[in-house]
Amino acid sequence: MSALEARPGVRFAARLAGACLPLTLLAGACAAAHPSTRAEAVAEPPLPAAPLDAQLYGVRGAKAFWMPDVEFGGSLYVAVVDPPLGATATPLVLVHGLGAAAGRDFDPVVPTLARGRRVVVVDLPGFGRSSRANELYTPERYAAVVAHVIDRFCGGRADVLGHSMGGAVALMHAATHARQVRRLVLVDVAGVLHREAWF
């Protein structure tokens, strides 16, 4: 057991994500344990365009869409920045934490992250510009939303970065949709790295 895995918060994350941890092996070791959410590529109709954040104006390849939310109903706001032609790196999906800004929290770093890969930022249901409803918003259901976004915008596989609450969502997604995850990055995740925090 590594020093990182021995920390109490990381043990909590292991319990949250299931038996497919340690975290360092999550994406690779779990891939065989969980079926993909999509057996084969399916042609989908184009999505309606959505307004782009001011911080992303002028960023080459930046666009935004309204995507149907099949988990909660309503629509999801999804911003996408495509890299220069010829870039082949795995797409990166950014999952935000609590707060009214939602995916806008990532706007300052998106252009840099998109230099060599597609970057996808979603406002989770109930946050930002996505629909709100009187629904039970749980990590499991949010993980299903992330899975649909990856299917639609990443060809079924991505690197996933979760910040704060989004880290718990990203852990749940990786545990339940492991074939979609090449790498998992957790940033300031509540209840994972600090034993005083509760999720």
Side-chain angles (χ1 to χ4, degrees):
M1 179 181 293
S2 71
L4 177 64
E5 293 161 351
R7 295 180 69 175
V10 175
R11 288 197 305 273
F12 167 82
R15 289 193 303 275
L16 174 67
C20 291
L21 292 173
L23 291 173
T24 55
L25 301 176
L26 178 63
C30 294
H34 298 284
S36 174
T37 57
R38 173 182 281 195
E40 58 187 57
V42 177
E44 298 189 55
L47 296 173
L52 194 60
D53 289 346
Q55 276 195 277
L56 298 181
Y57 286 158
V59 175
R60 177 174 285 184
K63 49 199 165 288
F65 302 95
W66 297 115
M67 176 181 169
D69 180 358
V70 298
E71 184 67 25
F72 295 100
S75 60
L76 300 171
Y77 179 89
V78 183
V80 178
V81 180
D82 283 326
L85 205 57
T88 58
T90 303
L92 174 64
V93 174
L94 305 177
V95 185
H96 66 81
L98 286 171
R104 288 186 184 105
D105 284 339
F106 294 115
D107 283 355
V109 297
V110 165
T112 300
L113 294 173
R115 286 181 183 160
R117 64 169 72 209
R118 169 175 267 204
V119 175
V120 178
V121 185
V122 60
D123 284 357
L124 293 171
F127 291 93
R129 293 143 295 188
S130 291
S131 297
R132 293 166 175 75
N134 185 18
E135 292 281 352
L136 180 61
Y137 294 126
T138 64
E140 293 87 356
R141 294 186 76 187
Y142 277 149
V145 169
V146 172
H148 294 304
V149 170
I150 290 174
D151 268 345
R152 181 68 195 234
F153 292 98
C154 304
R157 193 153 191 248
D159 294 339
V160 180
L161 182 149
H163 171 248
S164 190
M165 176 203 76
V169 173
L171 276 168
M172 184 61 67
H173 169 263
T176 55
H177 301 86
R179 286 185 186 268
Q180 289 190 328
V181 181
R182 185 182 74 111
R183 288 186 177 160
L184 175 64
V185 179
L186 305 176
V187 180
D188 294 333
V189 182
V192 174
L193 298 181
H194 303 285
R195 70 175 73 192
E196 295 85 9
W198 292 86
F199 176 73

